[in-house]
Amino acid sequence: MSVLLTGAAGFIGMHVAEALLGRGEAVIGVDDLNPYYDVRLKQARLARLEGHPGFRFISADVSDRDAMLGLAEAEPGIDRIVHLAAQPGVRYSLVDPYVYVQANVMGHLVMLELARRLPRLGHLVYASSSSVYGGNRQLPFAETDRVDHPVSLYAATKRAGELISESYAHLFGLPQTGLRFFTVYGPWGRPDMAPWMFGAAILEGRPITLYDAGRLKRDFTFVEDIVAGVVGCLDHPAPAVEPRLLNIGNHRSVEVRRFVEVLEEALGQKAVVVDAPRPATDVEETFADITAIQALCGYAPRTPIEVGIPRFAEWFLSWRKGG
């Protein structure tokens, strides 16, 4: 039996793969290594996995029907799926909207079609996003809140995936859990994420832009806590016709300017800060109600930014030095 993990060369995907391999799972990793950001970073993540005897890699796009559906015959031992592959980034959806629909909607649909063809499938866990809550002002965000007013195309594609999953659970009895991730950060993160962009600017003496004087608040969640939640959910399959949607966050809402302060301390250098109005794609605050995932698998995030950011900074400095 094996776990199919999409987005295996991605930030969260690499960490999830390491956790699964560390407990003796066989993992089939899928990734298309697309050039949305520096492919060398994806290749370096993949290199950490490829030496493990339990890991096999398939280079493929999850929206490629022939490649993905062919796995049903080629890999009949797949009994669980962790589907993390997606086109990330809220603001980039204003630049290339088509790639979001292709990756996040068509890719999700293809994975569901694969899932219903697997004879031993026990559970499909997939990545959604806290962005589906849009401009919701009720805090903390709860899974029962309305999510029909997305403020970005990225959010709309993630909500579309949730709805398609619900229909497939009803039609085909697929056991599924969707996870609404809240602002994940940590070592091996992406260059388009705030820690990397802020960190690079600080070290290079370039200004960083903080919207609304840095008063926007985010539920920053360290990647190791996220991984514990993903694996915990994978081990607790949803009822076949009752798909779950769960928040997975830190249950702490922190001002972005405080995040920058801790990053400055970790890097030993002050930031040059420029203030700007909040873009239409950005919400004022995110804050996860994690009651449901705690009850399901004992999820208990343990990493405040005062611990997590220095760990990111240590890795980031090493990466910039070529290590």
Side-chain angles (χ1 to χ4, degrees):
M1 299 297 101
S2 56
V3 180
L4 176 65
L5 172 66
T6 72
F11 167 39
I12 300 174
M14 183 207 75
H15 286 283
V16 170
E18 288 185 329
L20 292 172
L21 292 167
R23 69 177 196 174
E25 300 274 12
V27 176
I28 301 171
V30 171
D31 204 295
D32 66 350
L33 300 175
N34 72 67
Y36 169 64
Y37 59 85
D38 192 345
V39 174
R40 290 173 297 178
L41 177 58
K42 300 180 181 185
Q43 292 169 333
R45 296 188 190 120
L46 194 58
R48 290 171 59 91
L49 305 174
E50 289 188 312
H52 197 288
F55 182 78
R56 286 188 292 130
F57 178 66
I58 297 172
S59 179
D61 184 335
V62 293
S63 66
D64 182 337
R65 282 176 282 179
D66 292 338
M68 291 296 97
L69 299 185
L71 290 177
E73 294 185 5
E75 304 289 349
I78 295 171
D79 64 340
R80 288 152 296 160
I81 297 174
V82 180
H83 175 41
L84 302 179
Q87 175 58 52
V90 171
R91 295 190 191 107
Y92 187 65
S93 65
L94 298 174
V95 177
D96 189 354
Y98 304 103
V99 71
Y100 283 79
V101 174
Q102 183 68 20
N104 300 355
V105 181
M106 179 59 76
H108 191 78
L109 176 62
V110 170
M111 292 307 301
L112 291 170
E113 281 293 314
L114 167 61
R116 76 183 186 92
R117 288 166 168 77
L118 291 170
R120 297 180 176 85
L121 184 74
H123 199 192
L124 165 62
V125 174
Y126 67 89
S128 187
S129 168
S130 62
S131 67
V132 300
Y133 290 108
N136 183 19
R137 293 181 178 275
Q138 181 173 319
L139 297 171
F141 294 172
E143 295 89 346
T144 53
D145 293 345
R146 291 186 64 173
V147 287
D148 50 4
H149 295 287
V151 298
S152 69
L153 177 63
Y154 171 71
T157 62
K158 283 300 189 178
R159 180 58 180 152
E162 293 179 351
L163 293 172
I164 295 168
S165 275
E166 184 169 346
S167 70
Y168 267 64
H170 170 73
L171 293 170
F172 305 113
L174 291 180
Q176 299 175 67
T177 298
L179 297 176
R180 291 172 173 170
F181 291 102
F182 280 72
T183 317
V184 188
Y185 74 98
W188 295 97
R190 301 197 315 267
D192 65 329
M193 300 174 80
W196 186 303
M197 292 191 298
F198 290 164
I202 290 170
L203 292 172
E204 295 163 14
R206 294 184 286 106
I208 66 173
T209 300
L210 295 186
Y211 300 118
D212 292 353
R215 289 189 295 269
L216 301 186
K217 301 176 78 173
R218 295 291 180 265
D219 195 335
F220 294 104
T221 314
F222 192 62
V223 66
E224 287 185 3
D225 292 329
I226 287 287
V227 169
V230 172
V231 174
C233 288
L234 184 65
D235 291 343
H236 292 79
V241 294
E242 297 178 16
R244 295 192 195 104
L245 286 170
L246 299 173
N247 290 336
I248 181 167
N250 201 34
H251 194 58
R252 295 179 180 90
S253 194
V254 177
E255 286 190 341
V256 173
R257 58 186 174 185
R258 173 57 184 159
F259 188 90
V260 171
E261 288 172 359
V262 179
L263 184 58
E264 289 174 323
E265 295 168 7
L267 295 174
Q269 200 163 321
K270 296 292 290 184
V272 179
V273 177
V274 175
D275 186 30
R278 174 170 60 93
T281 54
D282 283 31
V283 299
E284 291 183 14
E285 182 173 358
T286 64
F287 182 16
D289 180 340
I290 58 173
T291 305
I293 192 172
Q294 284 177 325
L296 175 70
C297 64
Y299 174 70
R302 306 179 187 278
T303 314
I305 61 170
E306 291 77 11
V307 173
I309 291 177
R311 291 185 59 187
F312 163 78
E314 180 182 12
W315 169 82
F316 185 58
L317 291 169
S318 174
W319 175 260
R320 283 173 62 90
K321 291 177 181 177

